Amino acid sequence: MMTLLHIDSSARQTGSVTRDLSARIADQLSQGGTEVIRRDISAGFPVLSEDWVSANFTPATERTDAQKAILAASDALVEELKAADTIVIGLPIYNFSVPAAVKTWIDLVARAGLTFKYTENGPEGLLTGKRAIIAVASGGTKAGSEIDFATTYMRHFLGFIGITDVSFVSADQMAIDADAALQGANQQIEALAA
Ligand SMILES: Cc1cc2nc3c(=O)[nH]c(=O)nc-3n(C[C@H](O)[C@H](O)[C@H](O)COP(=O)(O)O)c2cc1C
């Protein structure tokens, strides 16, 4: 059975372009029997603390109960990523980059030994064999342009943890021509192979 992890990050619960696109992508890619895990990360997570960093760098077998508790939320996010065959992420461009909530999620799922490991040849991603589709929306920033630090960052980060099959559905530059942006995104959704 396929497992699809559907993540949204827009601060907007209503009128959100990325939520609409990500929902339609998740629908299109779910076959009968697909298990869908929903995760709304728009509220973000607490930023990393000294205790969190210390717990993370303590070998798993030596962690105290308090350190295990500190890492529990991160562990849960990593587990659902590991469980997913397909990951759909709604990603607004905020201030030329990803929403801060997405950055807090990234900090929690980048775990040495769980999602990547260090080797003689440098870091190696451990979450291989997965596919990610990212629904992007922006007001004026052109997706993929040199001032778009959101999609380049997401592609790089997901590749770092082993997810190299990453595609984007973009409703970018909505403030310039919303109809054209949405039409383009719809065509990209239709073209997604199941
Ligand atoms: C806090 C904030 C920052 C934004 N920064 C940018 C930006 O840097 N570039 C841009 O093109 N659009 C920017 N926008 C516009 C959003 O990317 C656009 O409204 C998008 O549709 C938001 O996604 P949503 O519809 O899913 O909420 C920003 C919007 C907000 C709320």
Short mmCIF file of all heavy atoms in Angstrom, two decimals, residues 10-12 15-19 91-97 137-142 171 173-174, ligand 1:
data_model
loop_
_atom_site.label_atom_id
_atom_site.label_comp_id
_atom_site.label_asym_id
_atom_site.label_seq_id
_atom_site.Cartn_x
_atom_site.Cartn_y
_atom_site.Cartn_z
N SER A 10 1.06 27.10 4.59
CA SER A 10 0.57 28.48 4.47
C SER A 10 -0.06 28.94 5.78
O SER A 10 -0.82 28.20 6.42
CB SER A 10 -0.49 28.58 3.37
OG SER A 10 -1.09 29.87 3.42
N ALA A 11 0.22 30.19 6.15
CA ALA A 11 -0.42 30.77 7.33
C ALA A 11 -1.92 30.92 7.10
O ALA A 11 -2.69 31.00 8.05
CB ALA A 11 0.21 32.13 7.63
N ARG A 12 -2.32 30.95 5.83
CA ARG A 12 -3.74 31.14 5.51
C ARG A 12 -4.45 29.79 5.48
O ARG A 12 -4.04 28.88 4.76
CB ARG A 12 -3.90 31.80 4.14
CG ARG A 12 -3.32 33.19 4.09
CD ARG A 12 -3.86 33.97 2.94
NE ARG A 12 -3.40 33.50 1.64
CZ ARG A 12 -3.76 34.08 0.50
NH1 ARG A 12 -4.59 35.12 0.51
NH2 ARG A 12 -3.31 33.63 -0.65
N GLY A 15 -8.49 30.66 1.44
CA GLY A 15 -7.97 31.44 0.32
C GLY A 15 -6.53 31.11 -0.02
O GLY A 15 -5.90 31.82 -0.81
N SER A 16 -6.02 30.03 0.54
CA SER A 16 -4.62 29.67 0.28
C SER A 16 -4.49 28.92 -1.04
O SER A 16 -5.11 27.89 -1.25
CB SER A 16 -4.11 28.79 1.43
OG SER A 16 -2.96 28.08 1.02
N VAL A 17 -3.65 29.46 -1.89
CA VAL A 17 -3.40 28.83 -3.19
C VAL A 17 -2.64 27.51 -3.01
O VAL A 17 -2.97 26.49 -3.62
CB VAL A 17 -2.60 29.79 -4.10
CG1 VAL A 17 -2.24 29.12 -5.43
CG2 VAL A 17 -3.37 31.08 -4.33
N THR A 18 -1.64 27.52 -2.15
CA THR A 18 -0.83 26.30 -1.99
C THR A 18 -1.64 25.18 -1.34
O THR A 18 -1.44 24.01 -1.65
CB THR A 18 0.44 26.56 -1.16
OG1 THR A 18 0.07 27.10 0.12
CG2 THR A 18 1.37 27.55 -1.87
N ARG A 19 -2.55 25.53 -0.42
CA ARG A 19 -3.39 24.48 0.19
C ARG A 19 -4.31 23.86 -0.85
O ARG A 19 -4.52 22.65 -0.87
CB ARG A 19 -4.22 25.04 1.35
CG ARG A 19 -3.41 25.28 2.62
CD ARG A 19 -4.27 25.88 3.73
NE ARG A 19 -3.45 26.29 4.84
CZ ARG A 19 -3.07 25.49 5.84
NH1 ARG A 19 -3.48 24.24 5.88
NH2 ARG A 19 -2.29 25.94 6.80
N LEU A 91 3.80 25.08 -0.40
CA LEU A 91 4.91 25.96 -0.02
C LEU A 91 4.72 27.37 -0.56
O LEU A 91 5.06 27.65 -1.71
CB LEU A 91 6.22 25.38 -0.58
CG LEU A 91 7.49 26.14 -0.20
CD1 LEU A 91 7.93 25.75 1.21
CD2 LEU A 91 8.60 25.86 -1.20
N PRO A 92 4.21 28.29 0.25
CA PRO A 92 4.18 29.69 -0.20
C PRO A 92 5.60 30.25 -0.16
O PRO A 92 6.41 29.83 0.66
CB PRO A 92 3.35 30.41 0.87
CG PRO A 92 2.82 29.38 1.78
CD PRO A 92 3.64 28.14 1.60
N ILE A 93 5.88 31.19 -1.05
CA ILE A 93 7.14 31.93 -0.93
C ILE A 93 6.89 33.11 0.00
O ILE A 93 5.99 33.92 -0.24
CB ILE A 93 7.65 32.43 -2.31
CG1 ILE A 93 8.01 31.22 -3.19
CG2 ILE A 93 8.86 33.34 -2.13
CD1 ILE A 93 8.57 31.57 -4.56
N TYR A 94 7.61 33.14 1.11
CA TYR A 94 7.54 34.26 2.06
C TYR A 94 8.90 34.95 2.07
O TYR A 94 9.92 34.32 2.42
CB TYR A 94 7.25 33.77 3.48
CG TYR A 94 5.81 33.38 3.78
CD1 TYR A 94 5.49 32.83 5.02
CD2 TYR A 94 4.78 33.55 2.86
CE1 TYR A 94 4.18 32.46 5.33
CE2 TYR A 94 3.49 33.18 3.16
CZ TYR A 94 3.19 32.64 4.40
OH TYR A 94 1.90 32.27 4.72
N ASN A 95 8.89 36.22 1.74
CA ASN A 95 10.14 36.99 1.80
C ASN A 95 11.29 36.26 1.11
O ASN A 95 12.37 36.10 1.67
CB ASN A 95 10.45 37.37 3.25
CG ASN A 95 9.31 38.21 3.81
OD1 ASN A 95 8.87 39.17 3.18
ND2 ASN A 95 8.78 37.83 4.97
N PHE A 96 10.98 35.82 -0.09
CA PHE A 96 11.94 35.21 -1.02
C PHE A 96 12.42 33.83 -0.60
O PHE A 96 13.29 33.25 -1.25
CB PHE A 96 13.14 36.15 -1.28
CG PHE A 96 12.70 37.54 -1.62
CD1 PHE A 96 12.76 38.55 -0.67
CD2 PHE A 96 12.15 37.81 -2.86
CE1 PHE A 96 12.27 39.82 -0.97
CE2 PHE A 96 11.68 39.07 -3.17
CZ PHE A 96 11.73 40.09 -2.22
N SER A 97 11.84 33.30 0.48
CA SER A 97 12.32 32.00 0.96
C SER A 97 11.14 31.17 1.44
O SER A 97 9.99 31.47 1.12
CB SER A 97 13.35 32.23 2.07
OG SER A 97 13.93 31.01 2.47
N ALA A 137 3.45 28.84 -4.44
CA ALA A 137 2.74 30.04 -4.89
C ALA A 137 3.54 31.27 -4.47
O ALA A 137 4.21 31.26 -3.43
CB ALA A 137 1.33 30.11 -4.30
N SER A 138 3.47 32.29 -5.32
CA SER A 138 4.14 33.55 -4.98
C SER A 138 3.33 34.71 -5.53
O SER A 138 2.48 34.54 -6.41
CB SER A 138 5.56 33.58 -5.56
OG SER A 138 5.52 33.89 -6.94
N GLY A 139 3.62 35.89 -5.01
CA GLY A 139 2.96 37.09 -5.51
C GLY A 139 3.69 37.61 -6.73
O GLY A 139 3.11 37.72 -7.82
N GLY A 140 4.97 37.94 -6.57
CA GLY A 140 5.72 38.53 -7.67
C GLY A 140 7.00 37.81 -8.02
O GLY A 140 7.55 37.97 -9.11
N THR A 141 7.49 37.02 -7.09
CA THR A 141 8.77 36.33 -7.31
C THR A 141 8.59 35.19 -8.31
O THR A 141 7.71 34.34 -8.14
CB THR A 141 9.30 35.75 -5.98
OG1 THR A 141 9.43 36.83 -5.04
CG2 THR A 141 10.64 35.07 -6.16
N LYS A 142 9.41 35.18 -9.34
CA LYS A 142 9.31 34.11 -10.33
C LYS A 142 9.98 32.85 -9.76
O LYS A 142 11.14 32.89 -9.33
CB LYS A 142 10.00 34.54 -11.63
CG LYS A 142 9.76 33.58 -12.78
CD LYS A 142 10.11 34.22 -14.11
CE LYS A 142 9.99 33.20 -15.24
NZ LYS A 142 8.74 32.43 -15.21
N ALA A 171 2.27 28.07 -9.01
CA ALA A 171 1.36 29.18 -9.30
C ALA A 171 2.12 30.42 -8.83
O ALA A 171 1.81 31.00 -7.78
CB ALA A 171 0.05 29.01 -8.56
N GLN A 173 3.97 34.28 -9.30
CA GLN A 173 3.64 35.62 -9.82
C GLN A 173 2.12 35.83 -9.91
O GLN A 173 1.62 36.39 -10.89
CB GLN A 173 4.32 35.83 -11.17
CG GLN A 173 5.85 35.75 -11.03
CD GLN A 173 6.59 36.19 -12.28
OE1 GLN A 173 6.41 35.59 -13.33
NE2 GLN A 173 7.40 37.22 -12.15
N MET A 174 1.42 35.39 -8.87
CA MET A 174 -0.04 35.52 -8.81
C MET A 174 -0.48 36.97 -8.90
O MET A 174 -1.54 37.28 -9.44
CB MET A 174 -0.56 34.93 -7.49
CG MET A 174 -0.49 33.43 -7.38
SD MET A 174 -1.82 32.62 -8.27
CE MET A 174 -3.25 33.22 -7.40
C1 LIG B 1 4.45 37.09 4.94
C2 LIG B 1 4.36 37.02 3.45
C3 LIG B 1 5.51 37.19 2.71
C4 LIG B 1 5.45 37.11 1.32
N1 LIG B 1 6.60 37.25 0.60
C5 LIG B 1 6.56 37.10 -0.74
C6 LIG B 1 7.75 37.17 -1.53
O1 LIG B 1 8.87 37.34 -1.03
N2 LIG B 1 7.65 37.04 -2.87
C7 LIG B 1 6.45 36.84 -3.47
O2 LIG B 1 6.41 36.70 -4.68
N3 LIG B 1 5.30 36.73 -2.75
C8 LIG B 1 5.34 36.87 -1.41
N4 LIG B 1 4.19 36.74 -0.69
C9 LIG B 1 2.94 36.41 -1.38
C10 LIG B 1 2.64 34.91 -1.27
O3 LIG B 1 3.70 34.12 -1.74
C11 LIG B 1 1.37 34.58 -2.04
O4 LIG B 1 0.32 35.35 -1.51
C12 LIG B 1 1.02 33.11 -1.97
O5 LIG B 1 -0.18 32.89 -2.67
C13 LIG B 1 0.88 32.67 -0.52
O6 LIG B 1 0.52 31.31 -0.46
P1 LIG B 1 -0.96 30.89 -0.01
O7 LIG B 1 -1.89 31.43 -1.06
O8 LIG B 1 -0.95 29.41 0.01
O9 LIG B 1 -1.22 31.49 1.33
C14 LIG B 1 4.22 36.84 0.69
C15 LIG B 1 3.07 36.67 1.45
C16 LIG B 1 3.13 36.75 2.82
C17 LIG B 1 1.88 36.53 3.62
#
